[in-house]
């Protein structure tokens, strides 16, 4: 019981959280860190959370979402993103709760504006119901998440 209380208090003041291949490491302001195997995590709950954002000058990003149109969508949408350099892009559609429903992979995208259409179907070719969804775009070390809404 005491160990849980100690970890609970530490979770209130994390400075950085990142995930490696099969573990989650949390760095705290006091210099200590905790590494937990992802397979051992069943639920993470925060009583209080403070986030800090590191501002970068405009144009310092290697990836920017140009548009998700239409949004809200009915049948499908175009996801448009701008890349400073070329490379592979991973796009995933999640429910608002974080469940993965569709994975898209674009290889050898060129620098500049790229577009991909999502037809509103999950990985099993089943139409997803009305609701809020998250579009996750990964390129190199950047991850962008944009909210989408489906109205059927």
């Amino acid at each position: 019981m005491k160990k849980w209380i100690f970890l609970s208090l530490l979770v209130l003041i994390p400075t950085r959280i990142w995930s490696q291949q099969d573990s989650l490491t949390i760095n705290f302001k006091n210099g200590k860190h905790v590494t937990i195997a992802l397979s051992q995590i069943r639920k993470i709950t925060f009583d209080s959370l403070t986030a800090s954002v590191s501002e970068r000058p405009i144009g310092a990003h290697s990836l920017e979402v140009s548009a998700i149109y239409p949004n809200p969508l009915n049948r499908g949408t175009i996801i448009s993103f701008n890349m400073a350099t070329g490379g592979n892009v991973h796009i995933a559609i999640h429910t608002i709760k974080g469940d993965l429903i569709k994975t898209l992979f674009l290889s050898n995208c060129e620098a500049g504006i790229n577009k991909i259409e999502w037809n509103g179907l999950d990985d099993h070719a089943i139409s997803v119901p009305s609701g809020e969804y998250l579009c996750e775009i990964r390129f190199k070390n950047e991850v962008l998440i944009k909210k989408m809404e489906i109205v059927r």
Side-chain angles (χ1 to χ4, degrees):
M1 182 72 171
K2 289 182 181 180
K3 186 175 182 182
W4 183 85
I5 292 171
F6 176 71
L7 287 175
S8 176
L9 292 174
L10 286 177
V11 169
L12 295 177
I13 54 169
T15 59
R16 184 185 298 171
I17 299 175
W18 73 89
S19 173
Q20 294 178 351
Q21 288 190 6
D22 63 348
S23 63
L24 173 72
T25 300
I26 303 173
N27 285 332
F28 300 98
K29 288 182 180 179
N30 63 6
K32 295 183 180 183
H33 69 276
V34 175
T35 302
I36 305 165
L38 291 177
S39 61
Q40 300 299 312
I41 298 173
R42 298 291 178 251
K43 183 178 181 181
I44 297 176
T45 305
F46 295 97
D47 294 328
S48 173
L49 184 62
T50 303
S52 63
V53 177
S54 174
E55 295 282 335
R56 286 193 278 180
I58 294 174
H61 300 280
S62 60
L63 174 67
E64 294 174 344
V65 175
S66 303
I68 297 178
Y69 182 81
N71 189 14
L73 60 119
N74 182 335
R75 297 178 190 259
T77 191
I78 303 289
I79 301 163
S80 179
F81 53 94
N82 191 3
M83 300 167 41
T85 60
N88 298 332
V89 176
H90 296 265
I91 298 175
I93 309 297
H94 300 270
T95 65
I96 199 72
K97 292 181 181 180
D99 299 324
L100 177 66
I101 61 166
K102 181 69 176 180
T103 303
L104 305 165
F105 175 74
L106 302 172
S107 61
N108 299 323
C109 290
E110 294 182 12
I113 296 176
N114 292 270
K115 297 178 182 182
I116 186 168
E117 183 176 356
W118 177 52
N119 58 8
L121 303 178
D122 66 11
D123 280 332
H124 305 288
I126 298 171
S127 183
V128 298
S130 295
E132 292 183 330
Y133 293 86
L134 300 174
C135 176
E136 171 189 31
I137 303 173
R138 291 181 177 265
F139 175 67
K140 295 185 179 181
N141 62 348
E142 289 192 53
V143 178
L144 297 178
I145 299 176
K146 297 292 182 178
K147 190 185 288 188
M148 301 182 299
E149 186 174 355
I150 295 178
V151 179
R152 301 233 190 245

